[in-house]
Amino acid sequence: MPKITTFLAYPSGAEEAARLYVSLFPDSRMGEITRYGAAGPGEPGSVMTVAFELAGRDYVALNGGPHFEFTDAVSLAVECDSQEEIDHYWEGLSRGGEQGPCGWLRDRFGLWWQVNPRVLVERLADTDPERSARVMAALLGMKKIVIEELEAAYEGR
């Protein structure tokens, strides 16, 4: 089977981004760092790529220059089991970035993330349309997701 690695092209700051992500996620580590040579296009000796692993998955970050920009068309989703996990990832990833609606955030390097509780999908998929609609209405009013508020909406409290 072919190996698939997520490749993230940053304008700059790839190593700093990888180090932040590795510090936040368990089962994560930094890998090989390659540097630009005399042929460029980056400054000779500057970081070109950074391999890293997050929660057992492989990634490569590239310092590609100013023409590379992330959009919210692609994001990394973090599925959490508790409010403590949500708070940890939300605070760590959004620091210096932008907090968006419904559990979405853009980190200070421009990469978009979704920090969601596992229970969200279960509640939205409920066969009772009134329950799932209440959960959706609650979600639409949040930035960082608060599980207790989703559950209250689900139960009609």
Side-chain angles (χ1 to χ4, degrees):
M1 268 182 89
K3 180 179 179 182
I4 298 173
T5 300
T6 301
F7 194 91
L8 303 168
Y10 294 80
S12 64
E15 182 178 6
E16 185 183 356
R19 289 192 186 285
L20 171 66
Y21 308 151
V22 166
S23 76
L24 292 172
F25 290 90
D27 190 25
S28 299
R29 64 178 184 80
M30 295 292 291
E32 184 176 7
I33 296 175
T34 63
R35 299 190 179 277
Y36 284 107
E43 283 293 315
S46 67
V47 172
M48 181 172 62
T49 64
V50 179
F52 61 102
E53 187 177 299
L54 293 183
R57 294 182 185 232
D58 292 327
Y59 295 83
V60 173
L62 166 74
N63 281 324
H67 59 281
F68 284 101
E69 290 185 24
F70 295 110
T71 73
D72 57 351
V74 174
S75 62
L76 299 182
V78 182
E79 189 175 79
C80 300
D81 289 320
S82 68
Q83 190 65 50
E84 292 77 25
E85 283 185 336
I86 291 170
D87 295 346
H88 169 75
Y89 294 117
W90 185 264
E91 298 309 318
L93 292 168
S94 70
R95 190 173 303 119
E98 172 188 341
Q99 297 181 353
C102 304
W104 286 66
L105 65 90
R106 181 169 49 190
D107 69 26
R108 68 180 182 256
F109 307 101
L111 184 61
W112 285 91
W113 296 81
Q114 298 177 55
V115 181
N116 298 316
R118 186 178 316 274
V119 71
L120 176 62
V121 173
E122 296 168 11
R123 298 302 185 238
L124 289 174
D126 193 287
T127 57
D128 180 336
E130 289 180 18
R131 284 182 138 181
S132 62
R134 288 193 307 261
V135 171
M136 179 58 80
L139 173 66
L140 291 172
M142 296 180 190
K143 285 192 178 220
K144 177 178 76 174
I145 296 176
V146 178
I147 295 172
E148 185 176 306
E149 292 177 19
L150 289 180
E151 294 291 25
Y154 182 74
E155 296 297 332
R157 300 184 263 129

